[in-house]
């Protein structure tokens, strides 16, 4: 009976989604019937954005590729750059990272060639490039793209974007084993998060700073930032953030040889996982707790469970 109910619900969801997208598809049909290329491009762009909101990336790719073909036919270079950037985002969602990288690079090249100084568009392309490089394992390429994007974010006075890029750049430097540069980025991010009164972002910055300080061997500072991050997540009742902070805090205690403190963190982590109703996270917390209570020695450098958020 439960399976039947779920099937009916899924059919309703699909039907409801199709109804929501119907106006966009109707506008596209009208534009094509009238032979109006501009209206067709606008309708395809709207349809692509609608599919992106629905996370139907393959259909978004199809819409953006059709839009791009028309833009290239009429020689609209600024429009082509914008469409390539949107297409890059759709490729990212689809997991086609090399195609996402190529589309973002082409968008950036066109913007530079035609002298389009719209900073927001350039930032979007750089962001997609950085995300693609990171997904492909090229962390140095990602860091370069994030550094360029950071300069653009500051130039156009977008504090929220600047904080976001500093967060991504800090995590990238942690993964590149450059904790000093990571700490510099994350400290600056922390200042911006406080200025923006962004409590979730502030909590995340503290946890990431903890990872960076631990990589540098400064465990007291790492402990301090994990505790601050945990306190913020608890204050705003962000259970997902609380779970992650407890994971890193427990692992830090474990590596430091304090099994009792580690077990206490993992017990709390398990409680959070149960409240979230996440079986996978619950299983992971139980495994952490089992490790903390076991007699198995912990290598001093075994900190693989410490991870940026």
């Amino acid at each position: 009976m439960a399976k039947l109910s779920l099937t009916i619900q899924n059919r309703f969801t699909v039907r409801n989604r199709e109804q929501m997208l119907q106006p966009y598809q109707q506008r596209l049909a009208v534009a094509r019937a009238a032979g109006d290329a501009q209206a067709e491009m606008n309708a395809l762009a709207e349809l692509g954005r609608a599919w992106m909101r629905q996370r139907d990336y393959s259909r978004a790719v199809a819409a953006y590729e059709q839009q791009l073909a028309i833009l290239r036919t009429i020689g609209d270079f600024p429009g082509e750059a914008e469409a390539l950037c949107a297409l890059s985002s759709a490729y990212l969602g689809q997991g086609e990272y090399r195609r996402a990288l190529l589309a973002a690079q082409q968008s950036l090249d066109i913007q530079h060639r035609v002298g389009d100084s719209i900073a927001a568009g350039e930032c979007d392309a750089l962001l997609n490039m950085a995300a693609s490089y990171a997904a492909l394992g090229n962390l140095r390429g990602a860091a370069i793209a994030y550094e360029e994007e950071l300069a653009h974010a500051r130039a156009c006075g977008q504090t929220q974007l600047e904080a976001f890029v500093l967060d991504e750049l800090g995590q990238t430097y942690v993964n590149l084993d450059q904790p000093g540069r990571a700490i510099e980025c994350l400290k600056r991010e922390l200042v911006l998060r406080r200025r923006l009164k962004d409590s979730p972002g502030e909590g995340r910055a503290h946890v990431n700073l903890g990872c960076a300080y631990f990589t540098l061997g400064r465990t007291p500072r790492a402990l301090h930032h994990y505790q601050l991050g945990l306190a913020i997540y608890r204050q705003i009742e962000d259970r997902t953030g609380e779970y992650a902070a407890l994971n890193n805090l427990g692992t830090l205690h474990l590596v430091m040889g304090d099994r009792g403190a580690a077990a206490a963190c993992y017990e709390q982590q398990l409680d959070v996982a149960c409240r979230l109703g996440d079986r996978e996270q619950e299983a992971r917390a139980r495994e952490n707790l089992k490790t903390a209570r076991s007699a198995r020695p912990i290598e001093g450098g075994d900190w693989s469970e410490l991870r940026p958020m």
Side-chain angles (χ1 to χ4, degrees), residues 290-309:
K290 180 181 176 182
T291 300
R293 289 173 174 170
S294 73
R296 181 171 64 86
I298 303 297
E299 296 293 334
D302 182 10
W303 51 282
S304 58
E305 286 300 307
L306 288 170
R307 48 173 63 92
M309 294 182 67

Side-chain angles (χ1 to χ4, degrees), residues 263-282:
C265 287
Y266 291 142
E267 284 173 352
Q268 295 170 61
Q269 183 188 33
L270 178 58
D271 178 63
V272 173
C274 291
R275 279 184 283 166
L276 285 170
D278 189 317
R279 294 294 179 86
E280 186 177 336
Q281 289 186 334
E282 185 179 335

Side-chain angles (χ1 to χ4, degrees), residues 10 42 58 70 90-91 100 102 122 133 171 189 202 207 218 232 236 262 266 290 300:
N10 287 341
N42 293 340
S58 61
I70 298 171
Y91 281 140
L102 178 61
E122 195 160 354
Y133 276 129
Q171 292 182 57
E189 180 201 357
E202 186 179 348
V207 172
R218 297 175 62 181
I232 290 171
I236 63 176
Y266 291 142
K290 180 181 176 182

